[in-house]
Amino acid sequence: MRISVIGCGYLGAVHAACMAKLGHDVVGIDVDERKIGELSAARAPFYEPGLEDLLREVQDTGRLSFTTDMAAAMESSVHFICVGTPQKKGENGADLTYVDAATSGLLPYLSAGAIVVGKSTVPVGTAARLTELLSKQQPDAHIVWNPEFLREGHAVSDTLSPDRLVYGVVDGSEDHPAVAVLDQVYATPLSNGTPRLVTDHATAELVKTAANSFLATKISFINAMAELCEAAGADVTRLADAIGLDDRIGRKFLNAGIGFGGGCLPKDIRAFMARAGELGADQALTFLREVDAINMRRRSRVVELTRELCGGSLLGKRISVLGAAFKPESDDVRDSPALSIAAQLQLQGSVVTVTDPKALSNAALRFPELHYETDTAKAVDGADALLLLTEWREYSDLDPYELASSVASSRILDGRNVLDPAKWRAAGWTYRGLGRP
Ligand code: UGA
């Protein structure tokens, strides 16, 4: 099939490459010339494991190209909208400027029967609004909402083998003509057993925000338990192991620590609350305010614990922060709890050095006032305290005996509860985890 993918960021670039891998002819379109230049040269403009290899592989087949020219969409019958929906400045709602611009830009190039497939995370009601816009210009085209559930760091495998496919069509019917077309697009994952659900537009839009809200709630639940464990002298990691063995609860997403960040969970729960308010259903989601509050409290708790660890004052203390990305295997620093903590510590008078295997250039753009060091050994040299804030493998594998000789004081705060406290204490370190005795 001939497919266009509009928006080539974390979502669209991966989607375009994966659609070509599935055998389709794909053009990726973005307004950002730098991004298109990189992608055309088979270079990923951001770090995502496996993406660059995939780009090289599919570009060699001639099935994938990139351009800034929207007219290139004319050849395609299926158009994926993959642009960002960031939080509005100074408000909780989602900024739909890019979704609206992508859809309007596409309108002149839509053929009769064309299918516009929304993948961006949007407030419920967006597909209905775009359907009206479409019906004026190309009444024979269709809008499908097909939310994306990929995780950064696993984006390629999540796209090639998703755990479910959701098609939101205007009438919610299996017989809608767009259903058969999308079944062709996703023929490979469907034949491999991926379940697919057909719903109406509104349900499909809500599936995505509901899923992210549930995940955020799960993380804040275990972080609330961490607060209790700290007060009671209990261990939240063992508590999570024990409750996670109940398969109605499950152990995944029960890792207590510095909380969730990134370009999705934080802004999605806020946009969901804002939309619920517009719909007169704000009471249904007031619990998400608490989920957000618990999450933000983690960051101030780490600052306080670091102060304690440093003997009561942060002034002039050399703090080394291991990890800047919002999670490992990503260079994304959007709403990264690690960077937010590093910046807080710096503001409170510490001398902070941040290291990360992939995210330092993005981090430096966001917080230019922090000091960055690529080499882990140099970053920890002479530190009064180490803070492990993003659980990259190379940090959880650090040897406490080797490290002890480079720091000024053997103190570590394990913000992701990934280290073995007994091992670090045996090597002479003062160890603090979150929600652990
Ligand atoms: C999230 C969802 O997991 C995806 O399904 C969704 O498609 C995506 O948002 C999106 O809306 O596009 P992602 O933002 O890549 O994916 O990251 P997650 O793996 O969900 O992690 C989010 C944050 O939660 C990270 O900061 C991570 O460190 C934190 N986390 C995760 C915890 O603190 N504890 C856990 O147990 C799990």
Side-chain angles (χ1 to χ4, degrees), residues 261-279:
C264 304
L265 262 43
K267 64 113 174 136
D268 285 354
I269 60 170
R270 292 175 193 149
F272 201 16
M273 285 185 271
R275 185 65 185 134
E278 288 166 6
L279 293 169

Side-chain angles (χ1 to χ4, degrees), residues 13 39 224 389:
L39 288 164
L389 299 186

Side-chain angles (χ1 to χ4, degrees), residues 11 121 148-154 158 164 208 211-212 215 219 222-223 251-268 295 326-328 335 337 391 416:
L11 165 59
T121 302
E148 179 54 61
F149 305 104
L150 68 79
R151 298 158 299 165
E152 285 176 32
H154 304 267
D158 283 354
R164 76 282 209 194
K208 175 60 194 273
N212 275 3
L215 294 171
I219 300 169
I222 201 64
N223 281 329
R251 180 64 177 83
K252 289 181 186 164
F253 266 68
L254 280 186
N255 295 320
I258 63 173
F260 59 81
C264 304
L265 262 43
K267 64 113 174 136
D268 285 354
N295 193 51
F326 84 105
K327 68 173 192 181
D335 207 349
E391 68 279 34
R416 298 289 186 171

Side-chain angles (χ1 to χ4, degrees), residues 117-140:
V117 190
K119 290 202 87 60
S120 311
T121 302
V122 292
V124 58
T126 303
R129 190 170 57 76
L130 296 180
T131 302
E132 260 182 50
L133 188 76
L134 209 71
S135 63
K136 290 184 195 131
Q137 188 108 4
Q138 183 45 275
D140 294 325

Side-chain angles (χ1 to χ4, degrees), residues 87-104:
Q87 186 172 337
K88 274 187 196 159
K89 289 208 166 66
E91 279 178 58
N92 271 349
D95 179 354
L96 293 175
T97 314
Y98 306 111
V99 170
D100 291 350
T103 314
S104 311

